[in-house]
């Protein structure tokens, strides 16, 4: 059996979890639950990304300390993830002693191997705010297309990237004051030193899909740029060893949080850490959005190389979420938090809908509310839950809650369902959840067709024995479909397990049948969503 360490990108500790975030965490969670369902060892690690200037600014605006801010956000994030059944083995924080020690270790190893150097640079400083301004705290006119009100790193209008010092008419987003250029000595990570090693790692399809490899080659063609890994005070983060006013840039210590969170969890649970991150016993899988590919495919592997940690086995990269065809936006009313969603709908429904949309590509997916309601009602309620409601009431009321045996015709149906197990397993492994859901719902259609053609509600009047065989077959079909859906819909699975009066289902249970067995009285498993319900 395989051993896997799986991570999702660390959410920033400066805001609520929203539906865009949940694309990644649900995608990852389904993969993790599938791995555990088939019997693999799989640990799921994540943490809040807690450092940087935005944290300082937000804490100041709320008149609290950065530590108080990130503690409050951490509590909210944990609650939101729990509500959506995201099954982290450990959810930590990058503001931990483990993370500080590991960030320093990687920095010092890089320094020892000649991959760190100091250079004096010019950057914008706001005298009104008494601080150097990060890219996102400067706005001005794009130097390429001349669009106004653009951030200091890239233009939303033409897509150009540039240095903050290239902006025309720059202004501080905090005070509106015009910044001045000021010199400061910074530490740089010599990414170019690892160019050959990175090329070798990237060119393996085992690690990245070809479309992503091609994207990364563009950066090699222009030459890998060395990475400014330091920031000036005031800053919330880890101080660089041997300095008094320099801090690690948040993007250095944030991915180190993958290792630190694992280390902390291992210590607390008496589990060996070395096999996971040091000696290649575990496959490391990172799930990320396409907007942070550069950091995870270039900077992060180089950091791991310099300290001899295991490189990722796979980078799983997804696209963004749109709402009814539009980008998420507060002004347009399409910025929807996890908590707002939960006021209207079951978390299970969003998990299923995202699964039905995710194909393992980097294409964006759209949450269309009409389609969402239709798909939930059509697939989950009318196809899957319908089997339990139609047959459960008959077995409860007419057959003393007893399942009996399965005849030849019944085995034909069940064999058709189990014949798809390798195909569905391959879909889960490839993150093509959409194809898996289509296959499962086609099997649900076959199951309902069997029930319709055999009409146990009519047969039970003259032949309770034959009706019991039909119901036993139909509820075994539901059991098999539930195994297939278990990574996607854990709550519905638990309800069906309780109804069928069985232990927690595993993938191996696809090879067995449930006969001569007493079930529990049927209770509603899911309710239809009224058409027209809005977020």
């Amino acid at each position: 059996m395989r051993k896997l360490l799986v991570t999702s990108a660390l959410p920033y500790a400066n805001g609520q979890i929203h539906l865009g975030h949940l694309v990644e965490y649900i995608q990852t969670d389904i993969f993790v639950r599938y791995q555990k369902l088939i019997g693999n060892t799989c640990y799921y690690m994540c943490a809040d990304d807690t450092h940087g200037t935005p944290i300082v600014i937000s804490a100041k605006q709320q008149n609290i300390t950065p530590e108080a801010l990130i503690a409050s956000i951490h509590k909210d994030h944990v609650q939101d993830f729990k509500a959506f059944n995201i099954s982290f083995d450990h959810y930590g924080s990058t503001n931990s002693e483990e993370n500080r020690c590991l960030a320093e270790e990687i920095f010092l190893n890089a320094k020892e191997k000649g991959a760190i150097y100091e250079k004096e640079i010019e950057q914008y400083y706001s005298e009104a705010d008494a601080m150097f301004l990060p890219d996102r705290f400067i706005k001005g006119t794009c130097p390429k297309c001349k669009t106004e009100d653009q951030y200091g790193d890239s233009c939303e209008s033409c897509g150009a990237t540039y240095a903050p010092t290239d902006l025309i008419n720059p202004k501080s987003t905090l005070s509106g004051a015009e910044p001045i250029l000021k010199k400061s000595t910074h530490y740089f990570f010599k990414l170019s030193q690892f160019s050959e090693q990175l090329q070798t790692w990237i060119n393996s399809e085992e690690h990245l899909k070809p479309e992503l490899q091609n994207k990364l080659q563009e950066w090699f063609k222009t030459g890998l740029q060395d990475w400014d890994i330091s920031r000036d005070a005031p800053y919330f983060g880890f101080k660089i060893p041997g300095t008094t006013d320099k801090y690690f840039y948040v993007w250095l210590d944030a991915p180190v949080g993958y290792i630190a969170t694992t280390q902390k969890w291992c210590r607390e649970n008496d589990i060996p850490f070395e096999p996971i991150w040091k000696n290649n016993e575990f496959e490391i899988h990172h799930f990320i959005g396409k907007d942070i590919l550069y950091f995870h495919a270039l900077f992060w592997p180089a950091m791991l190389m310099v300290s001899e940690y295991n490189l990722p086995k796979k980078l799983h990269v997804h696209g963004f979420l749109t709402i009814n065809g539009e980008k998420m936006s507060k002004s347009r009313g399409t910025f929807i938090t996890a908590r707002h969603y939960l006021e209207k709908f079951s978390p299970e429904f969003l998990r299923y809908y995202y699964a039905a949309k995710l194909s393992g590509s980097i294409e964006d997916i759209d949450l269309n509310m009409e389609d969402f309601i239709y798909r939930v009602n059509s697939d989950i309620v009318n196809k899957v839950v319908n089997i339990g409601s139609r047959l459960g009431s008959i077995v409860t009321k007419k057959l003393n809650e007893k399942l009996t045996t399965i005849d030849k015709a019944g085995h034909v149906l069940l064999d058709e369902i189990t014949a798809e197990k390798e195909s569905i397993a391959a879909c889960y492994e490839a993150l093509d959840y959409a194809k898996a859901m289509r296959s499962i719902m086609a099997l649900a259609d076959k199951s309902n067709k069997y029930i319709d053609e055999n009409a146990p509600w009519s047969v039970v009047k003259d032949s309770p024995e034959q009706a019991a065989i039909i119901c036993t077959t139909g509820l075994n079909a539901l059991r098999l479909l539930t195994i297939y859906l278990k990574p996607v819909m854990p709550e519905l699975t638990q309800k069906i397990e309780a109804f069928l009066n069985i232990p927690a289902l595993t993938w191996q249970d696809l090879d067995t049948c449930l006969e001569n067995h007493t079930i529990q009285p049927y209770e509603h498993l899911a309710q239809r969503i009224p058409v027209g319900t809005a977020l």
Side-chain angles (χ1 to χ4, degrees), residues 411-448:
H411 278 295
V412 169
L413 170 66
L414 300 181
D415 288 346
E416 286 185 29
I417 297 174
T418 56
E420 294 295 317
K421 67 181 180 181
E422 289 185 7
S423 173
I424 290 171
C427 289
Y428 274 125
E429 191 66 48
L431 308 185
D432 195 349
Y433 304 154
K435 185 177 180 181
M437 296 308 105
R438 289 195 297 272
S439 297
I440 294 166
M441 291 308 147
L443 296 172
D445 282 334
K446 287 184 178 181
S447 302
N448 279 294

Side-chain angles (χ1 to χ4, degrees), residues 1-2 4 30-40 316 417-440 443 480 483-488 506-508 510-511:
M1 304 305 292
R2 292 160 61 195
L4 302 90
I30 291 171
F31 179 79
V32 169
R33 287 179 181 273
Y34 164 72
Q35 297 298 336
K36 292 181 177 181
L37 181 66
I38 64 174
N40 287 336
H316 304 282
I417 297 174
T418 56
E420 294 295 317
K421 67 181 180 181
E422 289 185 7
S423 173
I424 290 171
C427 289
Y428 274 125
E429 191 66 48
L431 308 185
D432 195 349
Y433 304 154
K435 185 177 180 181
M437 296 308 105
R438 289 195 297 272
S439 297
I440 294 166
L443 296 172
L480 297 175
I483 295 171
Y484 287 149
L485 281 171
K486 186 168 184 175
V488 179
T506 69
W507 199 258
Q508 286 67 37
L510 289 166
D511 300 326

